[in-house]
Amino acid sequence: MRLATLKDGSRDGQLVIVAPDGRHYAPAPVATLQQAMEDWSDLAASLTAVDHFSHALDPATLAAPLPRAWQWLDGSAFESHGALMDKVLGITPEKTGRPLMYQGLSDRFHGPTDAVPMPDEDLGIDFEGEFGVIVDDVPMGTGAQDAMRYIRLIVQINDWSLRMLAGPEMKTGFGWVQAKPACSMAPFAVTPDELGDQWRDGRVCLDLLVDWNGNRFGAANGAPMAFGFHELVAHAARTRHLPAGTVIGSGTVSNANFREVGSSCIAERRGIEIVDEGAPRTGFMRFGDRIRMEAQLADGRAPFGIIDQQVIPYQGVSV
């Protein structure tokens, strides 16, 4: 099952069920995805039972499948990315055996074709392609062996970053605020069965194709996470209940052979250049740049749909 949210002028939009062809939809029996998440056990059967899709789907009318969430918790589960960044920054991290995770802005997620306003193009605008999950209510203390059953939906995310602000904020030891604006989501949130055997051990085993201004930038695969999503859920729930609708991200999708497959963020490409050449050559995004992200199944279908966005200057108050 694939779910999407139509823009209707409200903050949470209108939930719809997407046809297998990705081009038609049927109204859902509940108004929003958040409502569906909060009553999933009772609603899942009626959502799945819909088989008549009479409305044409216009990608431009789609918001993020979950336009706002109670929590957005982002991991850093790809060791190749973390090790490279530590080398570039001269950091020797403490070995804890636990995932890295921060809590970010969750009061909005940009839709898949929304123009993304940024305050200043000199702040190091960067994209970060990753996968994520949306969970049901997760009791505090849930272990990894039980956490998989609370994962209801899988999503594709662009976790925007402002790199010139990230370093100073990291050095405070008190987390990110200014360096992490609102994320974007691909149009469809999918149940795990939509991925078939490409959903294994709590991992999305698909290439994430990233194109920057029409040029292929990366095609890293989501399989080599050091911690699967069930382990990230358990980590997040160690000392808190997770409310239904909590979104948990994988962190930047990265592979050990990043010189061959490319990267899912500019910071990683710059890190490779620093290690190999002594200095970065690749600049960050500028106003007017476009980013496109798509994960594909073996038959070429994009289960999450496509993120295709342009960065624009912020020009006024938006709520």
Side-chain angles (χ1 to χ4, degrees):
M1 178 173 58
R2 292 195 285 180
L3 301 174
T5 294
L6 295 176
K7 297 176 181 178
D8 66 355
S10 71
R11 292 177 186 261
D12 297 303
Q14 175 62 54
L15 183 65
V16 298
I17 305 159
V18 181
D21 67 6
R23 297 192 296 271
H24 297 83
Y25 73 89
V30 64
T32 69
L33 182 54
Q34 182 60 41
Q35 289 176 276
M37 297 307 304
E38 292 175 359
D39 200 15
W40 188 265
S41 59
D42 291 331
L43 286 171
S46 60
L47 291 169
T48 305
V50 172
D51 60 4
H52 184 62
F53 306 94
S54 59
H55 301 274
L57 185 64
D58 178 0
T61 66
L62 294 177
L66 188 62
R68 55 178 176 167
W70 289 110
Q71 286 191 98
W72 156 237
L73 302 170
D74 196 18
S76 181
F78 290 89
E79 289 185 329
S80 54
H81 178 77
L84 176 67
M85 293 297 101
D86 290 344
K87 184 175 183 178
V88 169
L89 297 172
I91 296 173
T92 303
E94 179 183 356
K95 301 296 183 182
T96 66
R98 298 191 299 271
L100 296 174
M101 185 173 286
Y102 76 92
Q103 183 160 347
L105 183 159
S106 63
D107 61 35
R108 70 194 62 200
F109 288 88
H110 294 298
T113 62
D114 291 348
V116 178
M118 293 291 181
D120 186 343
E121 65 180 358
D122 293 328
L123 292 179
I125 301 169
D126 198 357
F127 49 82
E128 287 192 58
E130 53 185 275
F131 298 112
V133 297
I134 305 176
V135 299
D136 204 337
D137 288 300
V138 181
M140 180 168 57
T142 295
Q145 68 276 13
D146 297 318
M148 193 76 81
R149 64 192 180 97
Y150 296 105
I151 295 173
R152 300 303 187 200
L153 297 167
I154 307 170
V155 291
Q156 178 189 309
I157 296 169
N158 182 4
D159 176 29
W160 293 98
S161 295
L162 299 174
R163 299 297 185 184
M164 297 301 105
L165 301 177
E169 285 196 307
M170 287 175 66
K171 291 176 182 177
T172 68
F174 213 61
W176 283 313
V177 176
Q178 295 179 349
K180 288 292 185 178
C183 301
S184 301
M185 276 191 192
F188 307 141
V190 310
T191 48
D193 61 285
E194 286 284 330
L195 303 185
D197 61 4
Q198 301 308 300
W199 171 249
R200 297 194 300 273
D201 195 24
R203 293 157 169 86
V204 179
C205 304
L206 296 173
D207 292 343
L208 182 57
L209 309 180
V210 179
D211 295 336
W212 179 13
N213 290 333
N215 299 309
R216 180 57 43 84
F217 193 83
N221 191 279
M225 291 170 70
F227 300 93
F229 276 111
H230 55 304
E231 293 165 304
L232 296 182
V233 171
H235 176 77
R238 183 184 179 192
T239 60
R240 65 171 80 175
H241 299 291
L242 303 181
T246 294
V247 186
I248 297 178
S250 66
T252 304
V253 177
S254 176
N255 296 165
N257 61 335
F258 39 52
R259 289 176 178 82
E260 289 76 44
V261 301
S263 298
S264 302
C265 70
I266 300 171
E268 183 172 281
R269 173 71 61 84
R270 287 167 60 90
I272 295 168
E273 292 167 350
I274 290 170
V275 169
D276 291 352
E277 304 171 33
R281 292 184 292 102
T282 302
F284 291 107
M285 297 186 78
R286 313 302 291 181
F287 293 146
D289 282 7
R290 298 198 71 91
I291 187 69
R292 186 181 190 278
M293 297 181 179
E294 175 185 14
Q296 290 186 349
L297 295 168
D299 61 7
R301 289 184 299 120
F304 308 106
I306 298 168
I307 291 175
D308 189 356
Q309 298 182 301
Q310 185 175 44
V311 177
I312 62 171
Y314 172 69
Q315 296 181 328
V317 175
S318 176
V319 294

